[in-house]
Amino acid sequence: MALIVQKYGGTSVGSPERIKAVADLIIKRKRQGHRLLVVVSAMGDTTDDLIKLAKSVSPSPEPREMDMLLATGEQQSIALLAMAINAKGEHAMSMTGPQVGIITDSRHGKARIIGIKPARLRQALGKVGIVIVAGFQGESKGEEITTLGRGGSDLTAVALAASLKADACEFYKDVHGVLTTDPRIVPEARTMPHVTYDEMLEMASLGSQVLNARSVEYAKRYRVPLIVRSSFEDGPQTLITEEEKGMEKVLVRGITYSKSDAKVTVLGVQDQPGVASRLFRALASADLNVDMIVQDVSESGVTNISFTLARGDLAKTLESVKAAASQVGAEDVQADENVGKVSIVGVGMRTHSGVAAAMFEALAQAGINIEMISTSEIKISCVIARDKVEEAVRVLHRRFRLEQASVELGKPFILEAEEPGRVKGSKPAKKPAKVKKTKKRR
Ligand code: ASP
Ligand code: MG
């Protein structure tokens, strides 16, 4: 009997009707002969509402009390879902993060999983066959309730799947898997049938909201095959695994974008050792993250350094940068709030040339100016004016013919047809799938 981990997000369980619909999906899967471990988020906007509630009684609630409060959101949805399943004649049981043995460090609001003790969960699974687990929460060694950061339920699902060596981890979302790009911009965007962990990681960090990046890292580390599909209707789905033969045949897998960047340029700094380090040390000390960094070729020993960052951090960043810039004798600091980023991602780039040229040509033909470029083995990102971002996405989607590849219309994933216990196309899990430590944040 296969063990399947499923994860349902907030919108999937956003109302009593939705909870009952999800109960039906779970029961259907159970009756195919599987054991199910189901992780859920809080209903709808519950987490946001709880945050507002806290702010209405205190200007700066203590992180410990915040976790105490936020953890109740998931506790509601697991109990309701278990009740709904039981009312339909199956047997389910709900469990909190602490009850299933998710041990975290003690950083309230952004705790990291440091271990899992799944004995009680195993027992429950043996007894009832459907266990509903609260996502997003755990318990510190000091037995305090902690939460894993926004979107953390995805991580709960992957970590439990790794710890129990589950056969698959299925994410039920309000979209049909992972799409080639945002369908609000390109209506022809289609579901990508198969994506590598690395591509998914790039897309998650470049703006795709489908899966939380930490959970994809975790899945890659423990080789947990991920499936993303809709909880609202049947349709295509996306399988996320390690790279397999043939996957590099697709040049560009997907296009992501962001419209919330800003660009800062430090003008007229000396081109000598120590300048960049002082500028960026100042930002690091203020806990500010930068994205792309570009240093111009210097003319008579003087150069400019530009970088991008999240627009929300611009005010704080300028404060730190201006102080550091005057220390290193820079001429001026300029900021541009109106930039965005468009990126193409695909493992095929590693083995094919001409992808960058094609991207730049397509943007040029549309009259879109590229302000900065950064690349990795499997992605190319361009910083452009924010009001050109959507057009750039459309132009590139067309250029790489992403609307044309054939869609694999998804039946629910069939495990039985394959080697018992493994998902089609995935490699066997690494032996010690016991979760010890989470990877350092990138
Ligand atoms: N309920 C939490 C949040 O809204 C966790 C999650 O949804 O994954 O961030
Ligand atoms: Mg949520």
Side-chain angles (χ1 to χ4, degrees), residues 110-329:
K110 46 177 187 249
R112 306 192 64 89
I113 296 176
I114 54 180
I116 293 180
K117 291 189 189 157
R120 196 168 159 194
L121 177 56
R122 278 218 181 88
Q123 220 177 23
L125 274 168
K127 236 193 300 176
V128 295
I130 306 177
V131 175
I132 315 288
V133 174
F136 175 59
Q137 53 176 255
E139 185 177 49
S140 69
K141 284 193 178 141
E143 298 185 346
E144 297 281 7
I145 291 179
T146 53
T147 64
L148 307 177
R150 298 307 304 270
S153 302
D154 287 357
L155 186 62
T156 305
V158 175
L160 288 175
S163 159
L164 293 179
K165 304 191 180 100
D167 298 288
C169 188
E170 304 174 337
F171 288 86
Y172 288 77
K173 300 261 167 185
D174 53 2
V175 287
H176 284 294
V178 188
L179 302 196
T180 48
T181 196
D182 186 343
R184 288 168 302 187
I185 297 181
V186 181
E188 301 77 32
R190 56 169 190 91
T191 302
M192 304 184 270
H194 200 172
V195 180
T196 70
Y197 292 126
D198 289 332
E199 288 170 332
M200 199 58 226
L201 273 174
E202 289 280 12
M203 291 189 266
S205 64
L206 293 169
S208 163
Q209 311 259 312
V210 178
L211 284 181
N212 154 303
R214 260 167 88 196
S215 56
V216 182
E217 264 176 26
Y218 215 98
K220 174 178 151 99
R221 188 132 172 262
Y222 294 98
R223 300 198 190 176
V224 180
L226 306 180
I227 290 154
V228 182
R229 49 183 317 217
S230 166
S231 70
F232 289 80
E233 45 189 358
D234 273 344
Q237 62 188 20
T238 300
L239 170 65
I240 306 165
T241 64
E242 278 183 86
E243 186 172 346
E244 285 158 28
K245 248 177 72 196
M247 287 186 81
E248 79 285 358
K249 285 189 187 137
V250 176
L251 225 46
V252 172
R253 187 99 46 206
I255 297 174
T256 54
Y257 68 93
S258 80
K259 292 202 274 185
S260 53
D261 309 72
K263 185 173 88 170
V264 172
T265 305
V266 183
L267 291 153
V269 290
Q270 293 303 311
D271 188 7
Q272 62 188 35
V275 170
S277 80
R278 279 161 81 179
L279 288 174
F280 291 98
R281 172 52 60 200
L283 295 176
S285 308
D287 213 11
L288 291 160
N289 277 321
V290 301
D291 182 14
M292 281 186 214
I293 303 175
V294 170
Q295 178 176 323
D296 291 347
V297 172
S298 61
E299 264 178 64
S300 50
V302 176
T303 187
N304 307 320
I305 298 179
S306 301
F307 59 91
T308 61
L309 66 154
R311 185 157 36 121
D313 288 341
L314 183 61
K316 259 184 92 183
T317 299
L318 280 177
E319 229 175 80
S320 307
V321 150
K322 280 183 175 157
S326 70
Q327 278 171 23
V328 298

Side-chain angles (χ1 to χ4, degrees), residues 32-107:
Q32 291 167 351
H34 307 302
R35 283 178 307 152
L36 292 183
L37 193 171
V38 179
V39 175
V40 281
S41 302
M43 291 173 69
D45 297 327
T46 303
T47 307
D48 291 322
D49 295 342
L50 290 171
I51 293 171
K52 274 184 219 140
L53 203 55
K55 293 263 153 78
S56 69
V57 298
S58 161
S60 54
E62 300 74 24
R64 177 187 184 276
E65 303 308 333
M66 237 11 231
D67 277 356
M68 199 64 102
L69 180 68
L70 294 189
T72 64
E74 272 70 13
Q75 212 168 313
Q76 254 183 13
S77 52
I78 54 170
L80 290 169
L81 185 53
M83 290 173 197
I85 292 170
N86 293 340
K88 289 174 188 284
E90 278 289 341
H91 195 185
M93 174 180 160
S94 67
M95 293 177 84
T96 65
Q99 284 178 330
V100 297
I102 296 183
I103 323 258
T104 71
D105 61 19
S106 54
R107 295 193 297 165

Side-chain angles (χ1 to χ4, degrees), residues 43 232 373 401 424:
M43 291 173 69
F232 289 80
I373 300 167
R401 301 206 181 91
K424 176 172 179 261

